[in-house]
Amino acid sequence: MKKMIKPVLVAVLAAGAILHTPIHTFAKSSSDVQSEIDELQKKQEENSNKQSELDGQINNAESEQSDNLAEQDNLLAKLDDLNNQIDKNENALNDKEDEITETNEKIEKISGEIVETEDDIDKREDKLSDRLVSIQQNGGDVQYLQVLMGSKNFGDMVNRLNAVTTIMDSDKELLNGYIQAKQKLEDQKQQREDEKQNLQDQKDKLVDIKSDLKSQASEQEDLKQQLEDEYSKLEDQILSAEEQKELAANQAEALRLAQEDAESEKSDLAAQEKAAAEAKAAAAAAKKEAESKQESSSSSSKASSSSKSSSSSKSSNSSSESSSSSSSSSSSAKSAQAGIFSWPAQGRLSSGFGVRNDPFGSGSTGNHYGQDIANATGTPVHAAADGRVSRSGTMSGYGNVIIVTHSINGRTYETLYGHLDSREVSVGEKVSRGQEIAKMGNTGASTGSHLHFEIHEGTWNGAKSNAVDPMKYF
């Protein structure tokens, strides 16, 4: 009978040990890991949508650039035309200046002729004056009549008439010459003034045209500069979008690898859970068989009592082990939640998260999306948690930068390490919490050697909408 009881006791003890196999002491269950996988798949979908959105932004910016270049070409054609007109206008002005010079020379010549004409007029005025005085003194036309009446004969009268006619014609010629000389003088003066005014008007008109053309050219140059500035901004947008697209692709790869890791972990956990379930079932069957044999056997009271005492002792020990295991598991979980991320580098906090004054002295304020840890160039920088590198390169403003994608407790996070002097990990590389990944530096938009550290609840984006104060996770 004792021989039968012994195997039964062994079976019961084995069943008790198997039943108390700590399935619940696993850090994660397969359902927990499935939640992580679901979260990673969701992030991958968001990432795919983000890449499509970035493709749209790039296509729009490139289309706008194409339109901008067409406008610039059109503007350049207008500028060439305006410059040609300005050149023609300059040539016309030069020609007009030459005409004015020639006209001035003519005017000098005319002025000389005017002086001669004025001298001739003066002489004629003197003669006319003398003649008028003579006529006045001799009685005018009466004197001519006396000359004719004093003729001795007809022939003498004819001679005297011819003489009087000659004198009268001479007087008339003298008067007409004076009038013509005066008219010529007035005509010459008017011609000189007209030519001068005409040339000046033409010159003034050309100057106005030149001024207008230069004004148009200046406006076109300003517009051309605006288009070039706009093109440059579009170029920056494209580069920024391409950077973000590259980062999104790297993030997608990091998420894919994280999902592979989670799938592998899920498979391992499922195998462990299956083995534990099988062991539990086997223990239950063994226990049931042992109980059945106990009931059918007719053991002595002493043996039965001894068996119960032994079973109670073992059960007590198993319960103690289970309680200890559960306490250890609880303690471990509590320890894991003490700090999701570890401090990434040694140094002093030089600038915190939130609104701050521009460190470059512009006087403006802006949001600071991380914590700055200042120390000497070359200070080691460590990964704040396990993860995959989704960016290792340069980014506008950040200089040398590393971004690590993390999947923690079913959630996706990303940490960013900026202004690095050097980088020691590559995209896709798996890193461990506390692993050295870079050296602190002063690259990008930086005012001194420090680490700019960001934490994002989700994946990093250009708007930094997921950024949170890192201090809440330490």
Side-chain angles (χ1 to χ4, degrees):
M1 185 68 67
K2 286 183 179 179
K3 289 181 180 179
M4 185 181 292
I5 292 172
K6 189 173 181 180
V8 172
L9 283 172
V10 171
V12 171
L13 290 173
I18 294 171
L19 282 170
H20 286 91
T21 300
I23 298 172
H24 57 279
T25 62
F26 294 137
K28 297 178 183 176
S29 67
S30 58
S31 61
D32 292 334
V33 178
Q34 184 59 51
S35 296
E36 288 188 15
I37 292 171
D38 293 341
E39 173 68 15
L40 289 168
Q41 288 176 338
K42 179 182 176 183
K43 290 297 179 185
Q44 284 179 316
E45 290 177 6
E46 291 175 359
N47 183 279
S48 178
N49 292 335
K50 181 179 178 181
Q51 289 191 63
S52 298
E53 182 183 341
L54 289 168
D55 281 333
Q57 290 179 13
I58 291 170
N59 290 335
N60 288 338
E62 287 177 343
S63 176
E64 288 182 31
Q65 271 193 321
S66 179
D67 293 341
N68 180 287
L69 285 175
E71 285 187 53
Q72 287 194 53
D73 290 340
N74 185 41
L75 195 60
L76 283 172
K78 289 182 179 179
L79 273 172
D80 287 341
D81 184 53
L82 282 171
N83 287 326
N84 288 333
Q85 291 184 51
I86 289 172
D87 289 340
K88 289 179 181 178
N89 185 269
E90 290 281 0
N91 293 332
L93 270 175
N94 292 333
D95 292 342
K96 198 57 62 180
E97 290 285 356
D98 292 340
E99 285 184 42
I100 289 173
T101 300
E102 291 176 6
T103 301
N104 286 333
E105 291 174 356
K106 290 179 181 179
I107 287 172
E108 288 180 6
K109 183 178 179 182
I110 291 172
S111 297
E113 292 175 356
I114 287 173
V115 171
E116 293 176 0
T117 303
E118 287 176 340
D119 291 341
D120 182 50
I121 288 172
D122 289 341
K123 291 177 182 178
R124 290 177 183 274
E125 283 181 346
D126 292 340
K127 288 181 180 179
L128 277 172
S129 179
D130 292 341
R131 183 62 183 148
L132 288 171
V133 170
S134 175
I135 291 172
Q136 185 179 8
Q137 289 176 347
N138 295 318
D141 293 339
V142 176
Q143 185 65 29
Y144 291 134
L145 184 58
Q146 289 177 352
V147 170
L148 292 173
M149 293 300 292
S151 301
K152 296 178 180 180
N153 52 46
F154 183 75
D156 186 30
M157 185 181 71
V158 170
N159 288 334
R160 289 187 179 213
L161 180 59
N162 287 334
V164 168
T165 301
T166 300
I167 292 169
M168 291 180 69
D169 288 342
S170 177
D171 290 342
K172 184 177 180 181
E173 181 181 351
L174 180 62
L175 181 59
N176 288 336
Y178 174 78
I179 292 171
Q180 290 174 0
K182 288 287 286 183
Q183 186 61 48
K184 180 181 178 183
L185 177 63
E186 293 299 326
D187 291 344
Q188 287 174 331
K189 286 182 177 180
Q190 189 61 47
Q191 179 186 359
R192 178 184 65 182
E193 293 302 322
D194 289 345
E195 287 187 11
K196 284 180 69 176
Q197 188 60 48
N198 182 44
L199 289 172
Q200 190 60 48
D201 290 343
Q202 292 181 37
K203 181 181 177 182
D204 291 343
K205 184 177 181 180
L206 288 171
V207 168
D208 289 341
I209 292 172
K210 179 180 177 181
S211 176
D212 182 57
L213 288 172
K214 284 193 172 182
S215 177
Q216 290 182 47
S218 178
E219 290 176 2
Q220 297 292 321
E221 286 288 353
D222 290 343
L223 183 56
K224 180 174 177 289
Q225 186 62 51
Q226 290 176 14
L227 287 171
E228 289 175 351
D229 291 343
E230 181 184 341
Y231 186 88
S232 179
K233 288 179 181 177
L234 290 169
E235 188 72 27
D236 290 341
Q237 287 179 21
I238 290 172
L239 289 174
S240 176
E242 286 177 344
E243 277 186 346
Q244 292 186 54
K245 184 181 176 183
E246 180 185 356
L247 174 59
N250 295 337
Q251 288 170 333
E253 179 63 12
L255 291 168
R256 185 187 69 78
L257 293 171
Q259 184 175 343
E260 284 185 0
D261 293 340
E263 293 282 3
S264 177
E265 184 180 4
K266 178 187 175 184
S267 178
D268 292 342
L269 287 171
Q272 293 177 29
E273 289 173 351
K274 182 180 179 182
E278 289 174 351
K280 184 177 179 181
K287 182 179 179 182
K288 184 176 181 181
E289 183 181 354
E291 288 174 349
S292 175
K293 288 181 179 180
Q294 276 184 311
E295 290 175 358
S296 64
S297 66
S298 55
S299 60
S300 66
S301 171
K302 183 177 178 181
S304 177
S305 175
S306 175
S307 176
K308 287 179 181 180
S309 174
S310 175
S311 176
S312 175
S313 174
K314 294 293 184 177
S315 177
S316 176
N317 288 340
S318 294
S319 296
S320 176
E321 288 174 5
S322 175
S323 176
S324 174
S325 175
S326 177
S327 175
S328 174
S329 175
S330 175
S331 175
S332 175
K334 184 177 180 181
S335 175
Q337 293 172 355
I340 293 179
F341 296 101
S342 62
W343 198 250
Q346 293 296 319
R348 64 179 180 83
L349 285 177
S350 58
S351 183
F353 182 90
V355 178
R356 67 171 184 178
N357 292 325
D358 180 15
F360 296 97
S362 69
S364 62
T365 59
N367 284 322
H368 187 231
Y369 294 96
Q371 290 284 350
D372 286 349
I373 304 169
N375 211 330
T377 297
T379 299
V381 175
H382 307 278
D386 297 349
R388 292 273 183 179
V389 178
S390 54
R391 176 80 180 184
S392 181
T394 59
M395 283 179 69
S396 177
Y398 290 109
N400 279 323
V401 68
I402 290 172
I403 297 178
V404 180
T405 303
H406 312 273
S407 180
I408 303 172
N409 298 331
R411 293 193 63 182
T412 300
Y413 300 86
E414 283 197 334
T415 51
L416 180 146
Y417 312 78
H419 307 310
L420 304 172
D421 184 63
S422 61
R423 293 170 280 108
E424 300 172 10
V425 290
S426 303
V427 171
E429 189 172 336
K430 193 172 183 177
V431 296
S432 302
R433 181 187 181 107
Q435 175 184 337
E436 183 176 320
I437 59 174
K439 300 290 187 184
M440 191 180 294
N442 187 32
T443 59
S446 170
T447 57
S449 177
H450 72 287
L451 170 67
H452 175 77
F453 179 69
E454 295 179 8
I455 293 179
H456 294 260
E457 294 178 340
T459 54
W460 184 95
N461 60 74
K464 304 179 185 64
S465 58
N466 297 329
V468 294
D469 187 353
M471 298 303 291
K472 67 185 282 190
Y473 284 104
F474 295 139

